[in-house]
């Protein structure tokens, strides 16, 4: 980067109520390193999305860069900061179907630097946006959030399915196509908090979580 870390400000938008440990880890690490953080504003989501798609003309010459931590809803996360700062997107879930609107966003907001967690999409974005510095930022996990569980023979849950579901695997588990019944947990409502989900994983003999490129290949 051509500026010191203190010249950046972090604005993290936590989307959809889903567990996003990566976002939390990024935000905490940023602040532990001395970075500043702006609290996200309370404003109707759909209205922010519409306003974020309108051409942005800075109200003043941007004096600082603003890191916007978001998934594919960058228009929502960047409004109204786009009027006051130079936006630096930090994005994950940049699926192929998201590339076209992302390119429009980058050009509309005159983005000069962005970070993407998909290494495959970095090359494509560099081709589509030759004047933009596109860098790969791999996702990370805080291993301290997942302490060791019991011994395998002491765990009460046979299989836990969380995240996206693979239909044929789920059907095989729920119809008990095995020599005995399987103690299976898969309902999202069973883990209203990340802590409960982490505890279920520690108590499971097998944990299953599929990426979207397997469950929705036509999309991802």
């Amino acid at each position: 980067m051509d500026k010191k870390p203190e010249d950046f400000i972090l604005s993290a938008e936590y989307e959809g109520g889903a567990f996003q440990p990566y976002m939390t880890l990024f935000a905490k690490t940023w602040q532990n390193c001395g970075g500043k953080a702006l609290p996200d504003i309370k404003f109707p989501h759909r209205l922010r999305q519409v306003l974020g798609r309108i051409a942005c003309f800075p109200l003043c010459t941007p004096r600082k860069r603003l890191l916007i931590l978001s998934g594919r809803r960058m228009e929502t996360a960047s409004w109204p900061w786009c009027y006051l700062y130079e936006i630096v997107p930090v994005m994950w879930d940049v699926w192929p179907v998201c590339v076209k609107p992302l390119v429009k966003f980058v050009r509309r907001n005159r983005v000069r630097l962005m970070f993407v967690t998909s290494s495959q999409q970095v090359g494509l974005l560099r081709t589509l946006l030759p004047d933009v510095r596109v860098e790969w930022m791999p996702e990370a996990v805080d291993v301290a959030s997942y302490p060791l569980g019991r011994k395998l023979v002491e765990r009460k849950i046979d299989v836990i399915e969380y995240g996206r579901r693979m239909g044929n695997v789920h059907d095989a588990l729920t119809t008990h196509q095995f020599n005995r019944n399987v103690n299976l947990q898969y309902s999202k409502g069973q883990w209203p908090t990340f802590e409960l989900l982490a505890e279920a994983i520690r108590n499971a003999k097998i944990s299953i979580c599929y990426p979207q490129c397997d469950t929705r290949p036509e999309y991802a």
Side-chain angles (χ1 to χ4, degrees), residues 96-116:
V97 297
C98 303
V99 170
K100 186 175 181 180
L102 174 59
V103 169
K104 290 183 178 179
F105 168 86
V106 168
R107 290 173 175 166
R108 184 168 60 243
N109 289 276
R110 305 171 188 174
V111 171
R112 296 190 300 164
L113 170 66
M114 63 184 299
F115 298 92
V116 181

Side-chain angles (χ1 to χ4, degrees), residues 6 8 21 23 45 62 88 94 104 106 135 142 146 150 166 175 181 191:
E6 57 265 25
F8 291 76
M23 297 180 68
H45 174 84
V88 180
V94 183
K104 290 183 178 179
V106 168
E135 298 292 343
D142 181 6
Y146 301 89
R150 306 172 183 85
M166 181 68 79
T175 54
N181 290 344
W191 317 298

Side-chain angles (χ1 to χ4, degrees), residues 121-203:
Q121 298 297 58
V122 167
L124 175 60
L125 290 171
R126 285 175 177 171
T127 301
L128 297 175
L129 300 165
D131 297 329
V132 179
R133 181 179 172 186
V134 183
E135 298 292 343
W136 177 49
M137 181 181 291
E139 295 188 25
V141 62
D142 181 6
V143 295
S145 300
Y146 301 89
L148 294 176
R150 306 172 183 85
K151 293 182 179 179
L152 200 60
V153 295
E154 298 174 349
R155 301 186 185 189
K156 305 300 182 183
I157 304 171
D158 291 319
V159 182
I160 179 175
E161 285 184 291
Y162 61 98
R164 302 175 185 90
R165 186 178 301 170
M166 181 68 79
N168 56 344
V169 176
H170 178 75
D171 292 342
L173 291 169
T174 53
T175 54
H176 307 303
Q177 298 176 16
F178 303 93
N179 294 329
R180 65 182 181 87
N181 290 344
V182 175
N183 182 359
L184 169 69
Q185 288 192 10
Y186 59 87
S187 173
K188 183 181 295 187
Q190 290 180 321
W191 317 298
T193 66
F194 173 76
E195 289 72 22
L196 290 176
L197 173 61
E199 173 59 29
I201 294 174
R202 290 195 294 270
N203 196 29

Side-chain angles (χ1 to χ4, degrees), residues 3-20:
K3 294 187 178 182
K4 297 179 180 179
E6 57 265 25
D7 290 331
F8 291 76
I9 300 176
L10 170 71
S11 176
E13 186 214 10
Y14 296 83
E15 301 175 357
F19 300 129
Q20 297 291 356

Side-chain angles (χ1 to χ4, degrees), residues 63-74:
R63 292 169 294 174
K64 293 184 178 180
R65 287 176 170 176
L66 180 68
L67 287 174
I68 298 291
L69 184 61
S70 180
R72 58 187 176 274
R73 301 170 183 167
M74 185 53 65

